[in-house]
Amino acid sequence: MLSRTADSLYWMGRYTERAGNIARGMQVALRMAGLGESLGADPDGPEDEWHSLLVAAGAEPGFREHHQAVTGEAVIRWLALDPRNGASIANCIEAARGNGRAVRTALTVDMWEALNDTWREMRLLAPTATEPDRLPGFLDWVRARAHLFNGAAADTMLRDEGWLFVHLGVMLERADNTARLLDSKHRALSGPDSEGAVAYAQWQALLRSVSALRSFQWLYHTRLRPDLVAELLVMRQELPRSLISCHARVQRVLEGIATATGGRRGDPQRIAGEIQDRLTRGHMPDILAEGLHDWLTAQIDRNIELGHAIHALYLDR
Amino acid sequence: MTEIGRAFDEMHEDGAVRPAYAGIAAWLQAHGLEALASKRAEAEALFRRVGITFAVYGEGGDPERLIPFDVIPRILARSEWNRLSLGLTQRVKALNMFMADVYGKQEILAAGLIPRALVLENEAYCPQMQGFRPPGGIYSHISGIDLVRTDANDFYVLEDNCRTPSGVSYMLENREAMLRLFPSLCSSHRLAPVSHYAEDLLETLKDAAPPNCKGEPSVAILTPGHFNSAYYEHCFLADEMGVEVVEGADLFVQDDIVFMRTTAGPKRVDVLYRRVDDDYLDPKVFRADSMLGVPGIFAAYRAGNVTLANAPGAGIADDKAIYPFVPEMIRFYLGETPLLQNVPTFLCEREEDRAYVLANIADLVVKLARGSGGYGMLIGPHSTAEQRAEFTRRILERPADYIAQPTLALSTVPCLAGEEIAPRHVDLRPYVLTGKEVRIVPGGLTRVALRAGSLVVNSSQGGGTKDTWVVEDGPTRSQSQSQSQSGGGMQSQSQSQSQSGG
């Protein structure tokens, strides 16, 4: 497969997943902002919520360049629509479709239609998407479109290199997102702020954002506990958006790519193996004792390193 | 001469429906305008969904536009097509022999049949090709020959396209759309299939494998990229053939061998169907500022390690100033009488011709000798006095840039124009593939001037397309069939499936 084609497929997967993840993050923040006062949290609480969302999305520096203050309204516009934010939902959809269009023939008709219809509808929705009454519906729509794309890919794509690169992009992006999301809530999961009504609401929102609130109950049959929430999102194989699940897929996909490209292996396989090792051997009580934030920061850095290695071996021209 | 009423109507003759159109006539009568209009909307939705769009340069608005598709097919009888097909084969053979000659021994110039300067000083002549003979002596592997019809028996070649003729994807997609929208109408005609075009194209490209290619040739399409107006077509053809579509940056040359950059490392390429213009192919040989090309690819070509299809310099054969000499080429190289007619052409650089053109400019079509896409054209009978004055000035200023031809009464076929069915002028571009043999898919692309009375069919100038049907002669089964079929879809389904699969 052409490196350029693989690059486009990989980024198409990443951007589609990213659009859905930004929507998930915004839903959490919206929920927290809505609950803020009733929980008796400090009045700056909601703004804090939006700030941590910006940090989780890696969008803070860009936002600061154009805004004086972090307000809900400004963050919502920035993350959903702002053309100046390369990672806004609108730009992710544009980029996913642009990548898909550049390798149109590597996609099935179903995948292309999912991408193209999303892009067309996005243009129609954009003018009103961030109105308070419309925003929740819009965010649901974004998540649903990401599901549709993933479903179209999973159900129709030939299981060759093309599929592997799309899937690699989706899984790496998802792993990255779960790590960032967790990190943005690390204070509610360990340390002095990890109890009380506000923390409880944070755990709930966090689980909801990865569609895992019910899953928690099914697995643990207990009230929410921060250490268990962290464990679920980091190292439970059963949860498809947990770090360990995503990285297991990344590792398997990279093995598949090595096989498909004549057995050539390199840094991507090595780094993916090391990450998976770290996750498998990890012990949540120890991680919490040593500091969740530091552990997650290291995790996010390794993700970035893995991304660079994938580029160097397969995608650069 | 150009009023629609006086042009040849391909559907009617002497007040009666011509036999090839009997099925269409019955069908048009059976289905109201409303039904047709709703099918037209369906077709548009279909094309947009599949993403068959073309880019229009610098006009603002929707950058991805659809070429209007007219749902009423244009029909040629098998006997008519067979005659055209022979003429096309003959013409393209002669054009290829002409190129082999002018880049080789130059016998036709020595014989004095074509002015030496007209060829050798032509912008389209590529001196870098001199003394090099591409595999099989073929320069134009894919040729698009634009034909117009003026009468029941008269077809003229309007121009030859030997460089990178586009539009074949519309020919294929139009047929798919018709099979999907009108299965019973299609199955009631004995319709020559076109869907094997991509297989023929791949065969043709493999036939062109360079001398140093051992084993199965690796073929790819070289595209300028997704900003090119025909990008959709490049991808479509690559997909249909199961080959890669590459950009210049996906390729590199090492030791005169061309490689693609792939996830598994470099992979050798043997044949490139290139849709990048000559000028941009290789910055080492042609335009140094080209970002679209591949440095060193021309040397790889001359070393026999890769074949470029079509060959650089193929434009000399479709130059409008060379066009008047094609019948001469056919006689010279093949010793045959030309089967297809040329439109009489005046070269403004010749004093005698120029005087005639300037005196009769109101009756003539004046074209840029090196223009394309319908730009820079004057249609005398439709022009204003200012436009004629402007062209007179331009001709006097740069006579060699202009040619002129009589205004032909292009034939018309019925179209769904707005809210009515009305005749519109059409042309026809068949695609001629030349490898070890000449292959032509029956029919071609019918382009239609959708504005009433307009003679300009180019998509950039408000033209649309139609499906082109070559139907077997003899009575069609349409009359009785179309009635029984509205109830029985089985037969039509199996037919349309076997055709699209074939």
Side-chain angles (χ1 to χ4, degrees):
Chain A
M1 166 168 286
L2 286 178
S3 296
R4 177 173 53 83
T5 306
D7 185 66
S8 291
L9 291 171
Y10 169 83
W11 281 105
M12 177 182 69
R14 285 200 77 153
Y15 278 120
T16 305
E17 180 67 20
R18 190 172 295 176
N21 290 340
I22 294 166
R24 286 170 184 276
M26 288 174 75
Q27 285 177 325
V28 174
L30 266 183
R31 193 177 174 84
M32 291 308 297
L35 289 175
E37 294 209 12
S38 62
L39 292 172
D42 93 72
D44 292 337
E47 266 61 50
D48 224 35
E49 201 56 51
W50 293 112
H51 178 247
S52 73
L53 177 61
L54 277 178
V55 174
E60 199 199 3
F63 180 87
R64 293 282 187 199
E65 272 176 41
H66 299 280
H67 299 85
Q68 299 290 332
V70 178
T71 65
E73 205 182 331
V75 174
I76 287 168
R77 273 208 74 80
W78 183 254
L79 291 179
L81 300 175
D82 203 309
R84 297 168 300 183
N85 172 15
S88 69
I89 289 175
N91 274 341
C92 286
I93 287 173
E94 182 82 35
R97 193 255 186 186
N99 276 295
R101 185 169 184 269
V103 292
R104 172 68 188 82
T105 57
L107 312 184
T108 62
V109 172
D110 300 75
M111 290 168 75
W112 170 249
E113 286 186 9
L115 271 183
N116 199 38
D117 289 350
T118 303
W119 176 77
R120 283 166 45 201
E121 286 168 36
M122 180 69 218
R123 286 156 63 110
L124 300 177
L125 292 173
T128 57
T130 53
E131 290 174 8
D133 290 348
R134 304 226 181 201
L135 185 59
F138 171 71
L139 297 174
D140 280 341
W141 174 82
V142 175
R143 283 173 60 161
R145 296 308 297 186
H147 283 316
L148 182 71
F149 172 82
N150 286 334
D155 284 4
T156 64
M157 208 177 176
L158 196 63
R159 288 304 190 265
D160 62 2
E161 256 187 287
W163 156 257
L164 293 173
F165 278 105
V166 175
H167 201 51
L168 179 62
V170 171
M171 285 302 150
L172 197 59
E173 183 69 27
R174 187 174 295 173
D176 191 53
N177 177 65
T178 300
R180 287 172 185 272
L181 214 55
L182 261 175
D183 194 32
S184 74
K185 297 272 171 272
H186 71 89
R187 280 200 192 84
L189 294 168
S190 65
D193 294 336
S194 62
E195 19 186 291
V198 177
Y200 190 87
Q202 300 269 25
W203 307 333
Q204 268 196 332
L206 189 53
L207 290 172
R208 257 181 228 283
S209 77
V210 293
S211 312
L213 189 54
R214 294 270 172 83
S215 309
F216 183 93
Q217 296 300 343
W218 279 105
L219 283 174
Y220 294 110
H221 308 288
T222 172
R223 291 173 59 82
L224 300 189
R225 270 171 39 195
D227 56 332
L228 296 182
V229 170
E231 183 192 74
L232 176 63
L233 264 61
V234 172
M235 47 194 46
R236 287 299 292 244
Q237 314 252 15
E238 299 94 323
L239 186 75
R241 304 185 79 91
S242 72
L243 291 183
I244 202 164
S245 293
C246 295
H247 277 290
R249 298 277 200 100
V250 167
Q251 198 184 11
R252 215 178 325 146
V253 168
L254 283 170
E255 277 310 306
I257 291 171
T259 309
T261 53
R264 197 162 64 126
R265 283 184 171 68
D267 287 344
Q269 283 79 9
R270 177 181 58 77
I271 298 170
E274 289 167 11
I275 292 177
Q276 193 60 6
D277 233 36
R278 183 172 188 250
L279 290 167
T280 318
R281 289 161 195 253
H283 184 53
M284 194 41 75
D286 297 347
I287 294 171
L288 290 173
E290 285 166 33
L292 183 62
H293 177 59
D294 288 348
W295 190 89
L296 286 168
T297 304
Q299 179 67 28
I300 292 166
D301 288 345
R302 291 242 77 187
N303 271 345
I304 293 171
E305 199 188 334
L306 177 54
H308 289 321
I310 289 168
H311 264 272
L313 188 62
Y314 297 118
L315 309 180
D316 279 346
R317 343 185 220 164
Chain B
M1 171 166 202
T2 57
E3 285 109 65
I4 282 198
R6 281 199 245 154
F8 177 67
D9 177 347
E10 296 194 9
M11 182 157 163
H12 303 94
E13 202 169 13
D14 303 328
V17 173
R18 297 177 68 240
Y21 273 91
I24 295 294
W27 172 71
L28 287 177
Q29 218 152 35
H31 296 79
L33 275 171
E34 226 164 278
L36 284 181
S38 100
K39 286 291 186 186
R40 175 171 60 187
E42 216 178 299
E44 203 181 304
L46 193 69
F47 283 131
R48 208 171 268 288
R49 259 179 57 206
V50 182
I52 311 176
T53 54
F54 74 106
V56 177
Y57 298 112
E59 286 181 22
D62 188 351
E64 290 168 25
R65 224 170 284 183
L66 286 179
I67 292 188
F69 170 66
D70 189 76
V71 294
I72 304 172
R74 189 256 188 104
I75 302 199
L76 295 168
R78 169 57 81 172
S79 54
E80 291 172 336
W81 171 253
N82 285 349
R83 272 193 300 132
L84 286 181
S85 172
L86 287 174
L88 291 165
T89 305
Q90 178 194 54
R91 189 171 179 103
V92 170
K93 269 187 188 167
L95 289 170
N96 272 307
M97 292 172 84
F98 167 71
M99 287 183 271
D101 188 20
V102 295
Y103 291 119
K105 294 180 182 163
Q106 304 187 340
E107 288 173 342
I108 200 164
L109 306 183
L113 293 173
I114 303 180
R116 193 169 277 275
L118 202 56
V119 173
L120 301 182
E121 287 164 28
N122 198 306
E123 274 176 45
Y125 186 78
C126 176
Q128 292 90 339
M129 286 294 288
Q130 273 173 348
F132 171 70
R133 186 181 156 83
I138 308 301
Y139 292 74
S140 184
H141 307 79
I142 300 104
S143 317
I145 308 296
D146 290 348
L147 301 170
V148 296
R149 182 175 202 175
T150 57
D151 209 335
N153 295 310
D154 288 330
F155 286 85
Y156 288 89
V157 175
L158 204 55
E159 61 182 55
D160 305 291
N161 295 279
C162 297
R163 305 169 206 210
T164 52
S166 62
V168 77
S169 56
Y170 295 102
M171 172 185 90
L172 297 168
E173 294 285 20
N174 287 352
R175 176 61 55 83
E176 289 304 312
M178 289 304 285
L179 289 169
R180 185 154 163 183
L181 296 173
F182 305 106
S184 28
L185 179 70
C186 293
S187 65
S188 69
H189 287 76
R190 285 193 288 159
L191 195 52
V194 297
S195 58
H196 54 289
Y197 177 81
E199 284 170 44
D200 283 0
L201 177 59
L202 184 58
E203 240 7 80
T204 301
L205 293 168
K206 284 183 182 174
D207 284 352
N212 297 338
C213 167
K214 313 287 178 234
E216 186 73 358
S218 152
V219 176
I221 295 184
L222 177 61
T223 176
H226 67 272
F227 295 109
N228 186 269
S229 61
Y231 181 67
Y232 169 77
E233 176 160 302
H234 307 157
C235 294
F236 174 86
L237 290 173
D239 197 27
E240 292 271 309
M241 290 193 286
V243 306
E244 295 285 0
V245 52
V246 298
E247 295 175 15
D250 294 323
L251 301 177
F252 67 95
V253 178
Q254 199 166 32
D255 303 328
D256 286 344
I257 296 173
V258 181
F259 294 97
M260 301 190 264
R261 298 174 213 270
T262 80
T263 52
K267 184 179 176 231
R268 186 166 174 158
V269 185
D270 300 302
V271 182
L272 272 174
Y273 175 18
R274 54 96 178 191
R275 299 286 296 255
V276 171
D277 290 345
D278 286 6
D279 277 355
Y280 299 95
L281 260 183
D282 184 344
K284 285 187 172 171
V285 180
F286 304 106
R287 279 181 63 156
D289 61 345
S290 169
M291 305 296 290
L292 304 173
V294 186
I297 201 168
F298 192 76
Y301 177 48
R302 289 201 56 137
N305 289 329
V306 72
T307 298
L308 300 174
N310 294 344
I316 190 62
D318 68 19
D319 186 79
K320 290 193 181 75
I322 298 294
Y323 160 92
F325 300 94
V326 178
E328 211 50 61
M329 294 175 199
I330 293 171
R331 283 185 278 266
F332 182 76
Y333 296 115
L334 300 171
E336 295 173 6
T337 308
L339 300 172
L340 294 173
Q341 305 179 69
N342 251 25
V343 183
T345 302
F346 305 97
L347 301 180
C348 293
E349 67 177 320
R350 291 181 173 173
E351 204 178 324
E352 199 183 321
D353 286 15
R354 184 166 64 244
Y356 178 86
V357 170
L358 294 176
N360 296 281
I361 195 162
D363 298 325
L364 299 170
V365 175
V366 183
K367 296 179 189 174
L368 271 174
R370 254 141 243 123
S372 69
Y375 293 106
M377 184 158 121
L378 175 85
I379 298 179
H382 294 182
S383 63
T384 62
E386 292 99 83
Q387 288 169 330
R388 289 193 293 274
E390 168 67 14
F391 267 78
T392 301
R393 191 184 58 74
R394 288 202 221 165
I395 291 169
L396 288 170
E397 210 168 272
R398 302 178 64 99
D401 285 359
Y402 292 91
I403 62 155
Q405 295 170 334
T407 314
L408 293 182
L410 269 57
S411 60
T412 65
V413 293
C415 290
L416 185 57
E419 300 308 306
E420 52 162 1
I421 294 175
R424 291 288 183 265
H425 295 293
V426 293
D427 80 348
L428 176 67
R429 174 180 288 183
Y431 296 88
V432 183
L433 299 174
T434 310
K436 291 191 172 127
E437 55 186 285
V438 174
R439 303 174 175 96
I440 314 177
V441 163
L445 178 66
T446 289
R447 298 186 298 178
V448 45
L450 289 171
R451 287 182 211 134
S454 168
L455 293 170
V456 185
V457 296
N458 302 75
S459 56
S460 52
Q461 309 272 296
T465 68
K466 276 172 170 295
D467 193 13
T468 312
W469 290 8
V470 172
V471 297
E472 299 300 331
D473 291 352
T476 54
R477 298 164 291 165
S478 60
Q479 214 84 20
S480 58
Q481 199 75 2
S482 66
Q483 275 169 2
S484 68
Q485 262 181 346
S486 45
M490 281 302 287
Q491 189 191 352
S492 61
Q493 253 182 10
S494 64
Q495 173 94 9
S496 64
Q497 279 176 356
S498 71
Q499 281 199 334
S500 56

